[in-house]
Amino acid sequence: MNAERDLAPLAPSVVRALNDKLYEKRKVAALEIEKLVREFVAQNNTSQIKHVIQILSQEFALSQHPHSRKGGLIGLAACSIALGKVGAGWWGVFFGSCGLRWENGSSSWVSVMGRPGLVALAAPCIVF
């Protein structure tokens, strides 16, 4: 990930925390992301929501660095939680941004995010 890139609307402190090796710091960053996405949902600002998801997917979840990948995953889970019941409509953005897709019935996307990652994204979207 290029440290000089502007990753707005994510604050620089959130970006640093998402890359941190300590889970607690990544968790604090995820809570900030959840708060930010909730504000965007309240404002119906879909372009900013999509931008946050794309940043987390492309700059973090697909990173070569394991701590960044973990930060991206917890950030995406925070987005999913913030979206709540409307999150089901955002599946295409989540999976499209990460380049995750089904190919000939294979589950190649599981190797990118892992099964716990898929559960973390899907759980808030499930309506019982």
Side-chain angles (χ1 to χ4, degrees):
M1 188 179 80
N2 188 351
E4 292 97 35
R5 282 189 62 182
D6 181 27
L7 298 176
L10 299 179
S13 60
V14 171
V15 172
R16 272 192 309 276
L18 286 173
N19 286 304
D20 202 278
K21 69 178 183 177
L22 297 175
Y23 167 75
E24 290 300 319
K25 290 186 180 181
R26 293 191 306 264
K27 185 171 103 176
V28 169
L31 292 173
E32 288 297 317
I33 290 169
E34 181 182 348
K35 206 181 311 180
L36 180 69
V37 173
R38 283 186 196 274
E39 290 174 13
F40 292 150
V41 169
Q43 299 167 358
N44 199 26
N45 192 341
T46 57
S47 64
Q48 286 291 351
I49 296 169
K50 185 175 182 178
H51 189 63
V52 169
I53 292 170
Q54 288 176 338
I55 289 171
L56 292 170
S57 300
Q58 295 169 358
E59 299 293 330
F60 292 93
L62 296 178
S63 173
Q64 295 296 318
H65 304 288
H67 302 305
S68 295
R69 280 196 308 267
K70 293 174 191 174
L73 181 58
I74 196 170
L76 287 169
C79 287
S80 181
I81 290 167
L83 290 169
K85 292 180 182 178
V86 299
W90 288 87
W91 274 97
V93 177
F94 279 111
F95 288 103
S97 295
C98 284
L100 305 176
R101 61 193 175 280
W102 291 99
E103 292 180 1
N104 299 327
S106 71
S107 57
S108 59
W109 55 269
V110 174
S111 64
V112 175
M113 298 193 68
R115 291 183 197 278
L118 179 64
V119 172
L121 290 175
C125 302
I126 298 172
V127 180
F128 293 98

